[in-house]
Amino acid sequence: MRKLALVIFIWLNFCQIGNCQFATNTESNHDYYEIDFLRFNNHNYLENLKTVTLHPKGWPLAQPILTLGEDHPLELHFDILDSTMGNYMYSLIHCDYNWKQSELDPQEYLDGPIEDFLSEYEYSRNTYQRYIHYTLEIPNFTTRITKSGNYLIKVFEEGDQDQVILTRRFCIVEESSPVNLDINVHQATRVNQRYSHQEVDFSISFGSYAVTNPYADLNVIILQNHSWENAMTDLKPRFVKDRMLDYDYDGENAFEGLNEFRLLDIGDTRYTGRGVKRVTFTENENHAYLEQDKSRSAITYLQNPDLNGWFYTRNNREGTEGNVDADYVYTHFSLKRNSAIATGDIYIYGALTDWQIKPEAKMSFNQLELQYEADLYLKQGLYNYMYVLVQDGNERADMTFIEGSHFETENDFTILVYHRPLGLDYDKLISVGEFKYSNN
């Protein structure tokens, strides 16, 4: 009897602990989906905030990476769909290689104020959708960055850091680093990947740079087309030879080649551009109805120049400037499909959705037209996009179900090398290498 009582006592305590842990995890997951929960990725927190871009000044298709001490800044652009000016401030958060906030205080990585105002803005001109376009350069004459690594820029309402309107990632690499990357991207080695994947082999040479324990002190990340959503992490060197690390694997470092992105040109609201079937103007709204897309999963590779998933805004009319003269367009997408997919959902995907699965990009199946349909409110410009499948219960998108995957597809690859030696309390970004793969 005593043994039975003891068993019951232990079981009840175990259940209480389990319930407590479950409640904690539930609260944590719940917090993440709150509108004002701070996310350490690219995220928009306002429904009327649109068309956010962050890139080196004058290079709208380049990734947001700068060299420490370089005079050439990054440009942040975004629109607020309103005619009333808001007062916004920004701050910079230093992160580790895995996009967690680092242990550094702002005074340790910034020369200037911890937070400052966004003072550059313009009202839209000659557009039916009124908006205010905001611009910020980083670094600028008041703020200078003194440490390399990953950074999150946070824009928020004046005087309240909890009222965040957007977050964006960028990187700062060490100046004049002797660390070099030798990159070779080629058709995958493994038989089951040979016609669908691209293998990223590389080596790291350190020159005069000291690395005591490369297996513990280094972190290497590979990006495809500048996107962090399918980044390859946790790669360790295959072997160390002299002052060189070899990462020549057979399969572990292979990416799906995917397909060339679909192209959409809504730079002119009067005429149909690439991929557009017809344009209309109804009740002071611009509409663009795209040509019906079809699945490419069973089609052989076809070379088609693209922007590798990115976009840039423009108004095709002469004498206009894309940031403030481009209007917004209700853009109607359609994807031919004989029946609805019972085990998942189709989404529009690319830089136009921040490389994320967003509710507004979810498509619905039209049984009469036998097609998936969705509308996005886009600023005039040139866009790339693709269709992805998200299976029920999964978080990651299947980018090959509709689009297919080919080893010949042209893709951009970026390798970032982070180093945290013993005694240092942050991850230095010591080298960045880029490679444009083309099999043509």
Side-chain angles (χ1 to χ4, degrees), residues 260-306:
E260 305 296 354
F261 284 83
R262 302 175 191 261
L263 185 63
L264 158 65
D265 186 354
I266 50 173
D268 199 318
T269 57
R270 301 166 300 173
Y271 308 104
T272 57
R274 178 79 176 270
V276 180
K277 184 178 181 180
R278 62 188 175 94
V279 293
T280 64
F281 181 74
T282 307
E283 297 180 353
N284 291 331
E285 294 176 346
N286 295 299
H287 292 261
Y289 296 85
L290 307 190
E291 297 173 353
Q292 186 187 58
D293 288 317
K294 297 177 177 62
S295 173
R296 300 187 292 177
S297 61
I299 299 176
T300 57
Y301 173 75
L302 178 64
Q303 184 181 4
N304 185 25
D306 64 4

Side-chain angles (χ1 to χ4, degrees), residues 5-62:
L6 179 61
V7 169
I8 293 174
F9 175 79
I10 294 173
W11 172 250
L12 290 173
N13 277 274
F14 175 79
C15 289
Q16 289 176 353
I17 293 171
N19 288 336
C20 180
Q21 290 176 338
F22 180 78
T24 300
N25 291 337
T26 302
E27 181 67 23
S28 176
N29 291 336
H30 175 74
D31 286 347
Y32 180 84
Y33 291 102
E34 291 293 326
I35 293 176
D36 58 353
F37 183 87
L38 181 63
R39 296 159 174 81
F40 280 73
N41 60 12
N42 297 337
H43 189 75
N44 302 342
Y45 299 77
L46 298 179
E47 289 187 4
N48 66 336
L49 187 147
K50 299 288 185 182
T51 320
V52 184
T53 60
L54 178 63
H55 54 77
K57 186 175 182 178
W59 296 89
L61 299 180

Side-chain angles (χ1 to χ4, degrees), residues 48-308:
N48 66 336
L49 187 147
K50 299 288 185 182
T51 320
V52 184
T53 60
L54 178 63
H55 54 77
K57 186 175 182 178
W59 296 89
L61 299 180
Q63 56 190 327
I65 298 178
L66 290 183
T67 301
L68 187 65
E70 190 177 67
D71 291 332
H72 196 79
L74 295 173
E75 285 183 330
L76 174 69
H77 295 271
F78 63 92
D79 295 337
I80 298 292
L81 306 190
D82 200 340
S83 56
T84 303
M85 188 187 71
N87 294 317
Y88 301 116
M89 304 184 72
Y90 73 93
S91 62
L92 303 179
I93 302 173
H94 191 276
C95 303
D96 65 12
Y97 79 96
N98 201 30
W99 294 103
K100 302 290 193 304
Q101 186 168 357
S102 74
E103 299 176 4
L104 295 178
D105 291 327
Q107 296 87 346
E108 297 181 85
Y109 57 82
L110 291 179
D111 181 6
I114 297 175
E115 55 186 52
D116 205 354
F117 286 93
L118 273 79
S119 56
E120 298 293 328
Y121 64 91
E122 286 185 87
Y123 288 89
S124 60
R125 301 187 299 234
N126 302 315
T127 59
Y128 287 96
Q129 171 63 65
R130 294 183 178 181
Y131 61 86
I132 302 176
H133 181 80
Y134 294 85
T135 306
L136 173 68
E137 291 188 1
I138 293 292
N140 50 53
F141 67 95
T142 61
T143 302
R144 190 172 66 90
I145 298 172
T146 61
K147 296 284 193 299
S148 68
N150 290 344
Y151 284 86
L152 188 79
I153 181 169
K154 180 175 75 170
V155 180
F156 54 93
E157 299 277 358
E158 178 187 0
D160 190 350
Q161 288 227 22
D162 291 332
Q163 294 297 315
V164 184
I165 71 166
L166 70 86
T167 47
R168 281 300 182 274
R169 292 176 172 182
F170 68 95
C171 302
I172 302 292
V173 63
E174 289 287 328
E175 182 181 16
S176 303
S177 173
V179 181
N180 292 314
L181 282 156
D182 184 17
I183 306 171
N184 178 30
V185 182
H186 56 86
Q187 186 176 6
T189 305
R190 289 182 179 174
V191 174
N192 64 333
Q193 297 178 334
R194 187 152 183 80
Y195 296 102
S196 60
H197 285 63
Q198 297 164 351
E199 192 171 293
V200 184
D201 294 329
F202 62 98
S203 62
I204 305 175
S205 301
F206 291 100
S208 60
Y209 188 85
V211 176
T212 305
N213 186 350
Y215 290 92
D217 298 343
L218 288 182
N219 284 287
V220 178
I221 295 176
I222 308 177
L223 307 181
Q224 184 184 42
N225 297 327
H226 311 168
S227 171
W228 287 89
E229 298 306 312
N230 65 335
M232 188 174 293
T233 61
D234 300 323
L235 287 174
K236 299 301 179 183
R238 205 163 59 94
F239 63 81
V240 181
K241 181 180 180 181
D242 296 328
R243 299 192 57 76
M244 187 268 289
L245 305 181
D246 182 87
Y247 291 81
D248 187 354
Y249 285 96
D250 293 333
E252 293 90 336
N253 50 347
F255 284 82
E256 291 175 331
L258 306 178
N259 211 331
E260 305 296 354
F261 284 83
R262 302 175 191 261
L263 185 63
L264 158 65
D265 186 354
I266 50 173
D268 199 318
T269 57
R270 301 166 300 173
Y271 308 104
T272 57
R274 178 79 176 270
V276 180
K277 184 178 181 180
R278 62 188 175 94
V279 293
T280 64
F281 181 74
T282 307
E283 297 180 353
N284 291 331
E285 294 176 346
N286 295 299
H287 292 261
Y289 296 85
L290 307 190
E291 297 173 353
Q292 186 187 58
D293 288 317
K294 297 177 177 62
S295 173
R296 300 187 292 177
S297 61
I299 299 176
T300 57
Y301 173 75
L302 178 64
Q303 184 181 4
N304 185 25
D306 64 4
L307 307 175
N308 283 338

Side-chain angles (χ1 to χ4, degrees), residues 258 261-262 335 341 344-350 353 355-358 361-363 385-391 396-403:
L258 306 178
F261 284 83
R262 302 175 191 261
L335 173 66
I341 300 170
D345 296 300
I346 300 294
Y347 289 80
I348 304 165
Y349 187 77
T353 64
W355 300 101
Q356 296 167 17
I357 302 303
K358 292 193 170 184
K362 181 179 177 179
M363 307 189 79
Y385 67 97
M386 65 165 52
Y387 297 106
V388 301
L389 170 68
V390 179
Q391 294 280 6
R396 293 187 66 88
D398 182 345
M399 294 185 281
T400 66
F401 183 81
I402 298 294
E403 305 295 352

Side-chain angles (χ1 to χ4, degrees), residues 369-400:
E369 299 294 335
L370 294 180
Q371 63 183 18
Y372 276 92
E373 300 172 344
D375 304 334
L376 291 178
Y377 199 39
L378 302 176
K379 197 173 186 178
Q380 283 182 266
L382 194 65
Y383 289 82
N384 271 180
Y385 67 97
M386 65 165 52
Y387 297 106
V388 301
L389 170 68
V390 179
Q391 294 280 6
D392 295 341
N394 288 351
E395 294 182 357
R396 293 187 66 88
D398 182 345
M399 294 185 281
T400 66

